[in-house]
Amino acid sequence: MAHILLRHREIPDINKLNVYKKNGGFAAFKNAVTKMKSTEVIDVVKNSGLRGRGGAGFPTGMKWSFIDNKNWPHYVVANADESEPGTFKDREIMEGNPFQFLEGVALASYAVGANVAYVYLRGEFWELGAALDEKIAEMEEAGYLGDKLFGTNYSLRIYTHLGAGAYICGEETALLESLEGKRGQPRVRPPFPPAVGLYGKPTIINNVETFANVPMILANGAEWYKTMGTADSPGVKIFSLSGRVRKPGNYELPLGATFRELIYKHGGGVQDSHTVKAIMPAGASSSLILVDDDKVLDTPMDYANVRTLKADLGSASIIVIDDTVSMDWLINKTVHFFKHESCGKCTPCREGTYWMSHLTERIHGGHGSKADVDLLLNVAKQMQGKCLCALGEFSTMAVVTGIERFRNDFDNAVKA
Amino acid sequence: MSLAKKHPKEVKQILSKYPPEGKRSAVMPLLFLAQREEGYISKAAMRDIADILDITETDVAAVVGFYTLYHDKKEGRYRIQVCTDLPCALRGADKFMDDLCANLGIKAGETTPDGAVTLEAVTCLAACDKAPMFQTQGPDGIKYHESMTVDKTMELIRTLKNAVGEMK
């Protein structure tokens, strides 16, 4: 099947404006601005069943319909802060098929009545930011951005904004704080951004991949989109496959493809013909899925089915762990990551990740005892449900499921 | 000389992205601009940015301290920032880092004696399929180097050291 998002795999020059245009580019945006009411655009996205691709899987059209129309101006923000260990899909979209992403931002802006949109990129995407600035300038030149577009009264400008190295800024309210020139610390929610967002104004924030879907949905219709994927999770998803596989990379597949198909058919199987021991489907934030029978690998990858394995699909960053890996090493890695990235605002996360890192270090270093493993599990469970944002919660997922589902690895680590 | 005097066009262009009530948003791009000069952000530059944006020096310093890509101390003119997070580590990043340290004769977090290169371990850079990988942060911005070997990296480091030598 031809790609819908990673279209540059078939059309390598689609990152050039004239090539994108020749392949139907900007027709959906022009049609929306000149012929559709903004609410009609929202309805199409709603009917398509598109769910947010950043991790939470929230229905996109519904989010857009929450925009507060009593408070103006409105803003649209693209979350391009891609930082979850194991996720590298947004970068490929923006490098390979940038105009489709930007057209999606433009369509969302029209749908919610925003005249300004920001693309918040992680600071490490420095070169990509410069490239997007050029693409935006080309769109202005060609009349797809600017004042009074297509002879209507609608105006839109898109600006890029670089972060500076902080995983927490992928959390939408921390991102807004950062974009406002402050430390990237999450806000207390509610109110949610569609009511109180950037500069206190109603704001819609979506992930890059979510935006990239929108022009195709508007061009081909909601019914077309629903012919792909599952009833619960329509459409396609880019699965970032990494870890101990032969061919890591991004694979665009219909939602509902199985782990086996991704890992063995596309990813070429496990390195050195080892067996899969565990899967992290949502990057470092994942629960560890224990792969102890074939049924697990045959599970369809969509939001509902992954939940039956007591894990979440999240951003679909599939990290494959083979039988050479011990979980005490693995959680030592993830806990150090979250400790480094904790923003310090709330006590359970700031202190919890700190103390967990001491314990994982001790256990992995061979100086731990059985009591340390129990204490680690206890600290992780104490944190759950008490953190201000999802980061603290996520930091406990691999710890709790690692100890509960792979207890042997920890017994061996403290025995040695 | 102040940032606004040295780079009037860039400062104006940065400020134009944000509405008047959101002027403070310009703090991050202005910090990147200031850092381009010497590889770190001096106290004077922070004062300067505070003045441009009508915020306090503490507001600016808090931003510098929070984000890992800003540096308030003079270290290597180029930083080699190797991702050693879980997905990269599953593909040999820890060994790659150890080998680089051995070749350079420094530990992670240290700078080569000529002040050219600081070697650092960093968290995920969104290139998990192309490990081992690192980014360089220097006068020419941030660049990715993917699917790297120790030999290729040592060659790059020689080029960077020469470039720094010429700057002096």
Side-chain angles (χ1 to χ4, degrees):
Chain A
M1 200 175 76
H3 291 85
I4 289 162
L5 305 173
L6 304 176
R7 285 164 76 204
H8 54 281
R9 302 263 181 104
E10 283 97 26
I11 315 164
D13 286 341
I14 202 161
N15 62 353
K16 295 198 173 72
L17 189 121
N18 60 339
V19 177
Y20 181 64
K21 214 176 131 188
K22 225 179 278 168
N23 285 279
F26 302 118
F29 182 51
K30 185 175 179 185
N31 183 62
V33 173
T34 55
K35 298 202 180 93
M36 292 170 83
K37 281 192 226 146
S38 57
T39 49
E40 289 171 338
V41 177
I42 295 180
D43 284 341
V44 174
V45 175
K46 241 189 209 172
N47 292 336
S48 76
L50 175 66
R51 296 168 62 156
R53 302 298 195 230
F58 192 82
T60 305
M62 197 191 293
K63 186 192 262 189
W64 293 5
S65 70
F66 291 157
I67 193 94
D68 180 1
N69 285 318
K70 290 190 276 311
N71 190 2
W72 295 86
H74 294 172
Y75 291 101
V76 164
V77 177
N79 185 344
D81 190 55
E82 182 164 62
S83 307
E84 178 70 42
T87 311
F88 43 89
K89 64 192 176 62
D90 296 337
R91 191 179 145 217
E92 183 174 348
I93 294 172
M94 291 186 287
E95 282 175 355
N97 194 6
F99 290 113
Q100 187 170 319
F101 156 61
L102 291 169
E103 187 180 359
V105 175
L107 279 161
S109 300
Y110 177 73
V112 301
N115 301 115
V116 173
Y118 292 98
V119 179
Y120 183 102
L121 296 134
R122 60 178 302 174
E124 291 84 350
F125 290 170
W126 177 280
E127 291 181 294
L128 180 53
L132 283 182
D133 282 342
E134 281 173 27
K135 305 296 174 197
I136 290 166
E138 284 173 35
M139 282 172 71
E140 283 175 3
E141 188 122 326
Y144 297 119
L145 291 173
D147 292 328
K148 299 195 182 296
L149 295 172
F150 316 114
T152 69
N153 277 327
Y154 182 66
S155 304
L156 175 64
R157 290 210 149 65
I158 300 179
Y159 301 105
T160 60
H161 181 100
L162 288 176
Y167 168 76
I168 186 60
C169 292
E171 196 282 336
E172 59 179 13
T173 61
L175 185 154
L176 292 175
E177 287 288 299
S178 177
L179 184 48
E180 290 182 4
K182 301 169 202 159
R183 287 179 292 170
Q185 295 185 316
R187 298 173 181 171
V188 177
R189 301 182 301 173
F192 290 91
V196 181
L198 183 64
Y199 309 126
K201 298 298 177 186
T203 302
I204 294 299
I205 308 170
N206 280 117
N207 172 260
V208 171
E209 187 185 350
T210 312
F211 284 119
N213 275 283
V214 173
M216 300 303 274
I217 292 171
L218 264 295
N220 300 297
E223 291 310 314
W224 163 82
Y225 195 70
K226 282 194 281 198
T227 60
M228 298 169 288
T230 63
D232 163 72
S233 316
V236 295
K237 179 82 191 77
I238 302 174
F239 295 89
S240 292
L241 180 65
S242 70
R244 304 272 304 151
V245 288
R246 287 204 182 94
K247 291 191 286 176
N250 287 317
Y251 297 96
E252 178 184 318
L253 305 171
L255 280 153
T258 65
F259 286 109
R260 186 186 302 282
E261 187 186 339
L262 177 67
I263 295 169
Y264 287 93
K265 187 174 155 204
H266 300 288
V270 182
Q271 284 181 347
D272 307 321
S273 302
H274 280 277
T275 54
V276 181
K277 174 175 177 173
I279 295 170
M280 300 182 87
S285 296
S286 295
S287 296
L288 281 157
I289 296 174
L290 168 67
V291 182
D292 58 350
D293 79 55
D294 273 358
K295 273 192 220 135
V296 175
L297 287 174
D298 290 321
T299 307
M301 297 183 290
D302 60 40
Y303 299 101
N305 275 300
V306 174
R307 221 157 277 150
T308 65
L309 301 173
K310 298 195 188 94
D312 276 299
L313 183 63
S315 55
S317 347
I318 315 291
I319 307 176
V320 176
I321 322 290
D322 70 3
D323 53 12
T324 64
V325 177
S326 183
M327 295 305 169
D328 59 297
W329 172 83
L330 184 142
I331 66 163
N332 191 39
K333 276 278 176 199
T334 61
V335 165
H336 274 84
F337 170 77
F338 287 109
K339 176 192 164 240
H340 182 264
E341 300 298 344
S342 174
C343 81
K345 182 167 178 169
C346 79
T347 313
C349 174
R350 184 186 63 239
E351 297 299 314
T353 53
Y354 175 82
W355 287 107
M356 285 200 301
S357 74
H358 279 273
L359 288 161
T360 58
E361 192 71 45
R362 190 148 81 209
I363 294 164
H364 174 61
H367 311 294
S369 64
K370 189 182 165 295
D372 286 328
V373 179
D374 294 333
L375 180 61
L376 174 59
L377 186 60
N378 189 284
V379 172
K381 286 195 168 170
Q382 291 282 346
M383 289 170 67
Q384 291 185 335
K386 300 186 185 74
C387 298
L388 178 64
C389 80
L391 188 149
E393 196 78 18
F394 289 158
S395 75
T396 67
M397 305 307 268
V399 175
V400 171
T401 55
I403 296 174
E404 286 180 348
R405 299 174 191 172
F406 301 89
R407 182 75 200 208
N408 265 349
D409 288 12
F410 292 88
D411 290 343
N412 289 337
V414 296
K415 216 189 311 171
Chain B
M1 207 201 298
S2 77
L3 210 56
K5 278 202 185 121
K6 223 186 286 176
H7 305 283
K9 224 179 97 194
E10 274 114 321
V11 171
K12 202 174 150 209
Q13 194 262 335
I14 287 170
L15 289 171
S16 74
K17 286 183 169 186
Y18 311 99
E21 70 275 17
K23 200 172 161 188
R24 182 177 175 161
S25 291
V27 67
M28 293 178 75
L30 289 176
L31 284 169
F32 277 124
L33 183 64
Q35 187 162 271
R36 211 166 64 189
E37 298 289 313
E38 293 183 274
Y40 74 105
I41 299 155
S42 65
K43 284 251 155 55
M46 289 190 217
R47 259 198 304 280
D48 213 11
I49 291 171
D51 285 346
I52 295 172
L53 301 177
D54 302 318
I55 54 179
T56 67
E57 281 172 63
T58 310
D59 290 333
V60 179
V63 171
V64 173
F66 187 83
Y67 297 94
T68 55
L69 290 178
Y70 298 132
H71 313 285
D72 57 4
K73 281 195 300 289
K74 188 169 184 162
E75 289 179 293
R77 197 61 191 86
Y78 282 93
R79 289 164 185 277
I80 297 198
Q81 299 171 316
V82 182
C83 175
T84 55
D85 241 329
L86 176 64
C88 278
L90 287 167
R91 309 188 71 80
D94 286 330
K95 184 174 185 308
F96 175 75
M97 185 65 170
D98 289 346
D99 291 348
L100 273 188
C101 287
N103 268 277
L104 286 168
I106 57 174
K107 289 194 207 108
E110 291 181 349
T111 305
T112 52
D114 60 357
V117 170
T118 300
L119 184 64
E120 295 171 308
V122 297
T123 54
C124 188
L125 296 175
C128 319
D129 56 335
K130 300 192 179 73
M133 66 80 58
F134 58 86
Q135 65 182 6
T136 49
Q137 194 184 2
D140 47 358
I142 296 168
K143 289 199 163 79
Y144 273 35
H145 304 269
E146 300 173 302
S147 305
M148 290 302 280
T149 62
V150 174
D151 285 348
K152 273 202 292 195
T153 308
M154 291 308 294
E155 203 179 301
L156 174 75
I157 289 173
R158 277 191 287 279
T159 319
L160 297 180
K161 279 168 166 272
N162 286 340
V164 173
E166 275 163 29
M167 273 180 234
K168 278 176 185 166

